[in-house]
Amino acid sequence: MKAYMKVSLAALAIGAGVWIGAVYNDTAKGAGTIQPGTADDPVVTKSYVDQQIQKALGGSAGTGSGTTSTGNNGSAGTGSTGGSSTDPGLPPLVSGAADAVEIVTVKPGQQLLGKSGAEFIVRSGKAVIVSEGTNGVADLTDGVDLTNGQAAPTNHLLSFPRDGRGITVLDGNKYSLTVMVRGGYTLK
């Protein structure tokens, strides 16, 4: 085969490849052109999704019913703010997801007792566990059970599975505890 024939066939093959690629490129363009945020694929907010789910379930939106406590007046706090949304079209929040974190100061001689399911994080001070019986409080950070009289480590998540268990200031310590509380509690 002569050289000019080889060059001509190579040019023809390249030209045919370019033409076929151009034809198939136009048909493939429509496959992935949906952009987020367009009418075909809208971006929606969580509140809109919650509202649509609430409509589908046939429920009504709640306004919230929880109360909170400052923690220093000897009263009980619920740690719950309920559905605190100002938009009446939003559904009520799932129980447990709406529990607000409260900062509670425990003075020497006081006990902070958690309700069933409460969670504490001791932020400052020396705390010890208060528990009736042999069972104690779950330290979820270390994965151990803390029994009555054991030191409660700072910055550890403590879970209170039953009422009547809590923390107090270490005997002989004159400084208060600062505790983050989620869930119900009583300050005695």
Side-chain angles (χ1 to χ4, degrees):
M1 198 185 234
K2 298 190 180 197
Y4 72 90
M5 272 302 247
K6 288 181 182 179
V7 173
S8 296
L9 284 175
L12 181 64
I14 291 174
V18 169
W19 179 75
I20 290 172
V23 169
Y24 283 112
N25 186 31
D26 285 342
T27 58
K29 264 189 187 173
T33 59
I34 298 175
Q35 294 288 330
T38 63
D40 294 330
D41 186 17
V43 176
V44 296
T45 61
K46 181 185 178 303
S47 61
Y48 175 79
V49 172
D50 290 342
Q51 183 180 20
Q52 295 306 314
I53 291 172
Q54 193 67 27
K55 282 182 186 177
L57 294 176
S60 61
T63 58
S65 61
T67 59
T68 58
S69 169
T70 59
N72 284 337
N73 56 7
S75 64
T78 63
S80 172
T81 57
S84 61
S85 172
T86 58
D87 185 358
L90 294 179
L93 296 172
V94 177
S95 177
D99 289 347
V101 175
E102 298 181 44
I103 306 299
V104 179
T105 302
V106 182
K107 297 177 183 172
Q110 290 182 319
Q111 289 184 344
L112 180 63
L113 301 175
K115 302 286 183 190
S116 179
E119 297 175 338
F120 294 175
I121 298 176
V122 179
R123 295 292 292 152
S124 67
K126 302 282 185 188
V128 293
I129 301 297
V130 175
S131 176
E132 300 164 355
T134 59
N135 294 327
V137 175
D139 180 351
L140 300 179
T141 304
D142 279 345
V144 296
D145 194 43
L146 303 175
T147 57
N148 189 34
Q150 275 189 296
T154 56
N155 298 318
H156 281 225
L157 179 60
L158 306 176
S159 177
F160 295 82
R162 299 187 191 275
D163 291 350
R165 300 174 187 182
I167 58 174
T168 188
V169 179
L170 180 67
D171 286 338
N173 197 348
K174 61 182 179 177
Y175 300 108
S176 299
L177 299 175
T178 302
V179 183
M180 292 173 54
V181 178
R182 179 181 298 153
Y185 66 94
T186 304
L187 187 62
K188 290 185 178 181

